[in-house]
Amino acid sequence: MTAETHLQCVEISAAQFFEIWHHYDSDGNGYMDGKELQNFIQELQQARKKAGLDLTPEMKAFVEQYGKATDGKIGIVELAQVLPTEENFLLFFRCQQLKSSEDFMQTWRKYDSDHSGFIDSEELKSFLKDLLQKANKQIEDSKLTEYTEIMLRMFDANNDGKLELTELARLLPVQENFLIKFQGVKMCAKEFNKAFEMYDQDGNGYIDENELDALLKDLCEKNKKELDINNLATYKKSIMALSDGGKLYRAELALILCAEEN
């Protein structure tokens, strides 16, 4: 079955959802935008008509919102709200504790328990299991393993078998994912280390909230296209959620600002 054929299904399985996403996110940047989004909308309407199915209210609202928008952009979360995906898998994209970047950062900190800077398949499985339990859903371990494998394939952009912060952040709605903004301002390891030492003014090995404030203000000034100084408080709150009792260590800040492994 092709991605277009999957769109004709009354219910879409987790594996089919992955195939649909993979097909329409043709450049693999983690979003559907421009021509990709318009192709998806057109083929969704054609597929439903061919199958003798009306557009659901969610699909109609989606077409209304994005059908004529040239600057529309959606992520996996937005797609999950539109397609009739199997209920348990859908829960991962509707979890209440991932509604904001700050919530997401706190969640990341909990599951990246070894502070490696990435989440491996076992840590991801624990994360998904906890999300289901919070929703009072019990599923067999084999199904949980299947979901874990699909999520890894879906989010693991560089195919290294683990998820970095920016990869897992695709569980956030596009408008909440402030990390998208920081993709364009990341520094090489040498620049990052220099910046960290410059803003760690007291040389105690970590950056506090005031030092982060100064760093972010300067970044906003230098990168006005990518960063909006009016969102500075949100950026700061989200990044400080990675801190250890108000102490933001080099490795945690590197997840946001360093383009290379530090």
Side-chain angles (χ1 to χ4, degrees), residues 225-262:
K225 270 189 178 178
E226 287 90 357
L227 303 177
D228 182 355
I229 201 157
N230 294 318
N231 292 330
L232 188 110
T234 306
Y235 300 153
K236 185 167 69 172
K237 207 173 175 187
S238 299
I239 295 170
M240 283 309 290
L242 285 172
S243 71
D244 184 0
K247 298 174 180 178
L248 188 64
Y249 289 98
R250 191 184 300 250
E252 275 67 45
L253 187 59
L255 294 173
I256 311 292
L257 293 179
C258 189
E260 300 171 10
E261 281 189 20
N262 194 32

Side-chain angles (χ1 to χ4, degrees), residues 32-260:
M32 266 193 227
D33 50 14
K35 198 173 178 187
E36 293 171 337
L37 187 53
Q38 295 310 313
N39 284 346
F40 169 71
I41 289 170
Q42 188 180 354
E43 289 174 21
L44 173 67
Q45 291 172 306
Q46 289 170 352
R48 299 291 288 185
K49 191 174 180 181
K50 197 172 178 182
L53 298 167
D54 291 331
L55 292 180
T56 64
E58 292 82 5
M59 289 174 183
K60 283 179 184 170
F62 179 81
V63 171
E64 188 74 26
Q65 185 177 354
Y66 294 104
K68 291 174 183 165
T70 52
D71 58 350
K73 176 190 261 194
I74 68 160
I76 291 170
V77 176
E78 287 80 8
L79 183 66
Q81 314 309 321
V82 177
L83 297 180
T85 311
E86 63 177 276
E87 188 186 354
N88 285 336
F89 189 67
L90 200 55
L91 283 170
F92 302 135
F93 304 100
R94 290 184 172 166
C95 50
Q96 292 306 307
Q97 58 267 57
L98 291 183
K99 289 297 179 192
S100 72
S101 287
E102 187 185 357
D103 295 337
F104 171 76
M105 292 300 200
Q106 288 168 348
T107 303
W108 172 271
R109 191 169 161 70
K110 178 183 173 185
Y111 290 96
D112 178 23
S113 50
D114 54 4
H115 297 285
S116 60
F118 57 82
I119 284 178
D120 62 27
S121 60
E122 282 307 307
E123 289 168 328
L124 178 61
K125 192 174 180 180
S126 297
F127 168 58
L128 298 180
K129 188 178 181 180
D130 285 356
L131 287 183
L132 287 170
Q133 283 176 345
K134 280 171 186 164
N136 296 315
K137 296 283 181 182
Q138 296 293 325
I139 64 169
E140 291 176 9
D141 192 66
S142 59
K143 195 71 178 168
L144 186 61
T145 300
E146 180 198 333
Y147 286 164
T148 304
E149 286 170 2
I150 289 170
M151 292 290 245
L152 260 179
R153 285 165 62 206
M154 201 177 281
F155 293 119
D156 183 14
N158 59 359
N159 297 314
D160 61 359
K162 53 198 179 191
L163 298 182
E164 295 165 13
L165 182 74
T166 48
E167 290 173 332
L168 192 63
R170 284 157 63 188
L171 267 176
L172 280 167
V174 167
Q175 69 274 17
E176 271 298 331
N177 190 351
F178 85 102
L179 291 165
I180 298 171
K181 305 282 185 191
F182 280 81
Q183 287 297 93
V185 303
K186 284 193 170 190
M187 314 168 202
C188 70
K190 191 177 177 182
E191 282 179 307
F192 171 75
N193 285 326
K194 192 177 173 184
F196 187 89
E197 279 146 28
M198 182 172 144
Y199 289 94
D200 176 21
Q201 291 169 352
D202 48 14
N204 57 9
Y206 62 83
I207 281 179
D208 62 26
E209 197 167 337
N210 291 331
E211 290 165 337
L212 179 63
D213 191 71
L215 168 57
L216 289 175
K217 274 179 183 163
D218 288 348
L219 272 179
C220 287
E221 281 301 316
K222 288 176 190 167
N223 301 278
K224 287 180 180 174
K225 270 189 178 178
E226 287 90 357
L227 303 177
D228 182 355
I229 201 157
N230 294 318
N231 292 330
L232 188 110
T234 306
Y235 300 153
K236 185 167 69 172
K237 207 173 175 187
S238 299
I239 295 170
M240 283 309 290
L242 285 172
S243 71
D244 184 0
K247 298 174 180 178
L248 188 64
Y249 289 98
R250 191 184 300 250
E252 275 67 45
L253 187 59
L255 294 173
I256 311 292
L257 293 179
C258 189
E260 300 171 10

Side-chain angles (χ1 to χ4, degrees), residues 14-37:
Q16 288 170 332
F17 180 87
F18 167 73
E19 285 174 26
I20 290 168
W21 176 261
H22 190 64
H23 175 75
Y24 289 101
D25 175 25
S26 52
D27 59 6
N29 68 350
Y31 302 96
M32 266 193 227
D33 50 14
K35 198 173 178 187
E36 293 171 337
L37 187 53

